[in-house]
Amino acid sequence: MAVTQDGLNGFDEEFLAKWEPTSNREKCLARGVLYREQKGLEIGALNFPTLPVGDVSYVDYASTEELKKRHRDHPKRVQRMVDVTYVWPGSGSLAAIVGDTDVFDFAIACHVIEHVPNVLGWFRGIGEVLKPGGVFNLAIPDRRYTFDIRCPLSTMGELVEADLLGYVRPSIRQMFDHTYYAKAIEPGAIWNIDVDVDATPAFSGSPAPFLALQQAYEIRDNASYIDSHCWIFTPSSFLDLIDGACRLGLFTLVPDFLEPTSPGQFEFYFSAKKPPVEMPEEALRSLQAEKISSIRNSLRKRDKELRLLIS
């Protein structure tokens, strides 16, 4: 249950008894999940757990008390913050921290992946603690409709570098690019207003370049953890990276579903599964390739339908 020190995150028992996913967002994040029966894990829930029902444990990069200190300027957020069950930096073995492998039926992460210094290690760690056939559902911000609009898209080389070097905190490059390029645009606002992106101020204001450099020194000199959008994706660029990771044998889950960003929204959804049985590497690569091809075909069909609607 999504329990905090102050109760069930403000939800009364009647609401919890009747709750079902109704929005497209809730349905995508609950995809393949028997949330009232199965054991789940949510990463980075902070004060807004995705599922208000079920047996859910919480993972974050810092303890509950540390997170409360970092968010002390937001008292309502602190008051409703979930209790962190496992502290994990997103790299290395999550199973060693949880105490076992094959523990959870599902995992959920909403707007977390972009903050994770080592994405490939993060996926592997979560895969360790999923049961065979377990589901991992994500909500991911789309660069085109957020303050990341001018940030460079992430590359395969950057993913591999972060994994081989075992990043546990945002690197100088990850932090610098985010602080330097991010724009002061509200998520999704670009759908509703005519935005001149180039004329829009930096997210951190006019001192952004100098702040980026100052924080770079802090990371170099003090190994500081400066929360950043370490990764920048669109639905197609994300799928390309997952495809590349699968081909290189660096991705242990099987891609299952990708819901592209809907008009008026600023996030897309991705789902992957742990293979139901242990598979030889060649068989896993083949299954991953088959699933990615199916997702690409589905995206092409949707794009065609949208073009026909507006033609």
Side-chain angles (χ1 to χ4, degrees):
M1 194 71 74
V3 179
T4 71
Q5 293 176 349
D6 301 304
L8 296 166
N9 282 293
F11 300 128
D12 60 38
E13 294 290 347
E14 183 179 359
F15 171 86
L16 293 170
K18 296 179 179 179
W19 186 87
E20 296 290 341
T22 54
S23 68
N24 182 60
R25 184 179 205 268
E26 290 172 340
K27 290 176 181 177
C28 286
L29 292 170
R31 179 183 173 86
V33 173
L34 301 175
Y35 41 85
R36 293 188 186 276
E37 304 169 21
Q38 295 179 320
K39 186 174 183 179
L41 188 71
E42 182 160 8
I43 302 94
L46 208 59
N47 64 308
F48 196 64
T50 301
L51 302 179
V53 296
D55 181 7
V56 181
S57 299
Y58 299 100
V59 172
D60 221 308
Y61 71 95
S63 67
T64 307
E65 290 308 310
E66 179 62 26
L67 290 172
K68 286 183 175 182
K69 288 178 183 177
R70 296 188 183 199
H71 293 270
R72 57 182 173 269
D73 294 335
H74 304 277
K76 289 185 178 179
R77 185 181 302 170
V78 169
Q79 183 182 13
R80 298 180 64 176
M81 195 172 287
V82 301
D83 288 325
V84 175
T85 319
Y86 307 109
V87 176
W88 181 51
S91 186
S93 175
L94 177 55
I97 294 169
V98 170
D100 202 356
T101 59
D102 304 343
V103 175
F104 300 99
D105 298 286
F106 66 89
I108 295 175
C110 296
H111 290 251
V112 176
I113 188 172
E114 67 273 20
H115 296 272
V116 175
N118 177 8
V119 163
L120 296 177
W122 184 70
F123 271 114
R124 277 199 306 275
I126 294 163
E128 284 181 335
V129 299
L130 284 177
K131 295 178 182 178
V135 177
F136 185 21
N137 294 332
L138 299 90
I140 304 171
D142 187 330
R143 167 192 186 260
R144 298 169 296 176
Y145 312 114
T146 71
F147 48 71
D148 291 329
I149 192 168
R150 280 293 181 262
C151 295
L153 285 172
S154 297
T155 70
M156 196 70 230
E158 290 166 355
L159 257 68
V160 170
E161 177 183 67
D163 194 27
L164 295 184
L165 295 179
Y167 289 174
V168 294
R169 61 181 63 85
S171 69
I172 288 175
R173 199 275 312 155
Q174 289 172 334
M175 176 284 304
F176 191 95
D177 278 357
H178 174 245
T179 304
Y180 189 89
Y181 289 109
K183 292 286 189 174
I185 296 174
E186 289 295 319
I190 203 163
W191 290 100
N192 304 315
I193 57 177
D194 186 14
V195 178
D196 183 345
V197 176
D198 292 327
T200 301
F203 184 84
S204 300
S206 56
F210 304 100
L211 176 62
L213 184 59
Q214 176 189 338
Q215 292 180 160
Y217 288 132
E218 289 180 23
I219 293 173
R220 185 194 68 179
D221 298 338
N222 304 312
S224 299
Y225 192 111
I226 300 175
D227 187 28
S228 309
H229 276 202
C230 301
W231 307 102
I232 310 298
F233 308 116
T234 64
S236 60
S237 80
F238 178 79
L239 188 60
D240 287 343
L241 291 174
I242 295 298
D243 188 8
C246 289
R247 292 172 185 272
L248 291 170
L250 298 174
F251 196 77
T252 58
L253 303 177
V254 178
D256 185 60
F257 168 81
L258 193 153
E259 171 86 5
T261 309
S262 299
Q265 302 301 311
F266 57 89
E267 63 185 2
F268 61 98
Y269 307 101
F270 176 71
S271 181
K273 292 182 177 181
K274 185 170 182 174
V277 295
E278 191 169 343
M279 304 177 70
E281 185 172 335
E282 185 176 341
L284 176 60
R285 300 291 90 79
S286 178
L287 179 58
Q288 289 171 329
E290 177 185 331
K291 290 290 187 177
I292 289 173
S293 177
S294 177
I295 291 171
R296 288 196 193 280
N297 288 336
S298 177
L299 293 178
R300 290 190 192 102
K301 180 180 178 182
R302 178 163 173 159
D303 286 345
K304 182 179 179 180
E305 290 170 347
L306 287 174
R307 287 195 299 270
L308 289 172
L309 283 173
I310 63 175
S311 61

